[in-house]
Amino acid sequence: MASANNVTELIITGLFQGAEVQKACFVLFLPVYLATLLGNGLIVLTVSVSQSLRAPMYFFLGYLSLVEICYSSTVVPKFIADLLAKVKAISFKGCLVQIFFFHFFGVAEILLLVVMAYDRYVAICKPLHYMSIMSRQLCHMLVAGSWLGGFLHSLIQILITIPLPFCGPNVIDHYFCDLQPLFRLACTDTSVEGLTVLANSGLISVLSLMILLCSYIIILINLRNHSAEGRRKALSTCASHITVVVLFFGPATFLYLRPASTYTEDKLVAVFYTVITPMLNPIIYTLRNAEVKIAIRTFWSRKKTQVV
């Protein structure tokens, strides 16, 4: 059935209503977003030019940082601009575009985290065959697969949404466009569509989380056969990845397992994984990884030398 769509523009309620609070949020979140761009951009640049970061682990880290930039940029620039706007509006088509890319980069990040866990599994459990298994060709295929998975996931979500009729109201109770808040505006029953998109997202998240957990359980069991120094190095490289996985899946699980609501805390949880987590990831990886820190220092010292 063709959709009867009379809505061309949507009004976003935002995170908070008070003008002073919104200005304070602007002052807080603008530096956070700039730090996200700077930190992740620095990792992408360093991995691409540094000869010491040619291992598959850093190849995946560079793409993860690129995805973080894209993922955050689908939501945060509009969110920050709206903090100073009296009327927070977005076109209906613009809303669909934001939803598509938000889910695209979100699922691409999930799949990249799974790929990185597989990389650690091979490195620790099959060290003698690591370079032959994790060939450059396979690394490119795994990254391409993560992007393709994100694209197919988002395509399904959007194809489910487009046929829905939207004839008013046009106020989204959120600070960005997402499927569940948008479904509440449809002038038809969307329970089936809501369950479908939730199952689509949930299946990917649950399967990915199970693979991640199984990978690290196998790694921890395998580490019993390593020396104390070997265990220390292996745990050091895995700690950053595990921290990022917890930061990503924790808030998202809390948000999607709760009943649909308009509680402000749900929006605050969304702020954590759309604004805060992308900024924390480069800090986590650089603080826990000596090779990345050395490569970044070398990169900047060369730049300073060239300037002088």
Side-chain angles (χ1 to χ4, degrees), residues 21-301:
V21 177
Q22 292 188 66
K23 289 178 182 177
C25 288
F26 177 85
V27 173
L28 173 65
F29 291 133
L30 179 59
V32 170
Y33 177 61
L34 294 177
T36 298
L37 296 180
L38 179 63
N40 286 289
L42 184 59
I43 288 179
V44 172
L45 192 59
T46 303
V47 169
S48 64
V49 301
S50 176
Q51 295 299 318
S52 63
L53 301 180
R54 290 297 180 225
M57 177 175 70
Y58 302 114
F59 175 78
F60 297 133
L61 176 58
Y63 274 99
L64 180 68
S65 295
L66 178 61
V67 170
E68 291 283 18
I69 292 173
C70 298
Y71 176 70
S72 182
S73 296
T74 61
V75 172
V76 181
K78 170 69 174 165
F79 166 53
I80 292 175
D82 282 345
L83 289 170
L84 299 181
K86 291 183 178 179
V87 179
K88 303 169 179 59
I90 185 171
S91 69
F92 184 78
K93 290 181 180 179
C95 182
L96 293 178
V97 169
Q98 187 179 63
I99 290 172
F100 177 85
F101 284 106
F102 178 71
H103 283 262
F104 172 38
F105 293 120
V107 170
E109 180 172 354
I110 290 174
L111 297 179
L112 268 176
L113 290 174
V114 172
V115 167
M116 293 175 77
Y118 174 71
D119 172 72
R120 291 300 82 207
Y121 161 77
V122 176
I124 295 169
C125 300
K126 302 179 184 295
L128 298 179
H129 305 284
Y130 177 64
M131 293 311 297
S132 60
I133 294 174
M134 299 303 295
S135 64
R136 205 66 175 172
Q137 182 181 7
L138 179 62
C139 291
H140 281 100
M141 289 175 62
L142 291 172
V143 169
S146 67
W147 288 90
L148 179 61
F151 174 79
L152 293 176
H153 164 79
S154 289
L155 185 63
I156 292 170
Q157 306 291 66
I158 291 298
L159 290 177
I160 291 171
T161 306
I162 288 176
L164 294 175
F166 293 90
C167 43
N170 68 331
V171 179
I172 290 186
D173 187 20
H174 215 307
Y175 66 89
F176 68 96
C177 285
D178 203 1
L179 289 167
Q180 295 300 335
L182 183 62
F183 282 178
R184 295 187 196 124
L185 305 183
C187 45
T188 187
D189 180 28
T190 59
S191 55
V192 174
E193 288 81 1
L195 286 173
T196 303
V197 298
L198 190 61
N200 186 16
S201 298
L203 185 63
I204 292 173
S205 299
V206 170
L207 288 178
S208 298
L209 187 57
M210 288 177 62
I211 293 171
L212 287 165
L213 290 174
C214 290
S215 297
Y216 280 104
I217 289 172
I218 294 171
I219 287 171
L220 291 174
I221 293 173
N222 189 269
L223 283 176
R224 293 184 302 177
N225 302 323
H226 289 233
S227 64
E229 179 64 17
R231 285 197 297 268
R232 186 192 66 80
K233 289 183 177 180
L235 289 173
S236 177
T237 58
C238 292
S240 301
H241 187 251
I242 293 172
T243 304
V244 170
V245 168
V246 171
L247 286 174
F248 186 89
F249 279 95
T253 302
F254 170 84
L255 193 67
Y256 280 97
L257 288 183
R258 285 190 60 176
S261 68
T262 57
Y263 297 150
T264 301
E265 53 261 37
D266 286 351
K267 298 180 186 179
L268 293 176
V269 171
V271 166
F272 187 82
Y273 68 75
T274 57
V275 184
I276 306 299
T277 300
M279 178 200 68
L280 293 177
N281 287 355
I283 298 174
I284 293 167
Y285 277 109
T286 53
L287 287 177
R288 298 287 306 183
N289 194 302
E291 287 183 312
V292 175
K293 286 190 284 188
I294 293 171
I296 290 175
R297 289 197 201 102
T298 303
F299 174 76
W300 279 110
S301 64

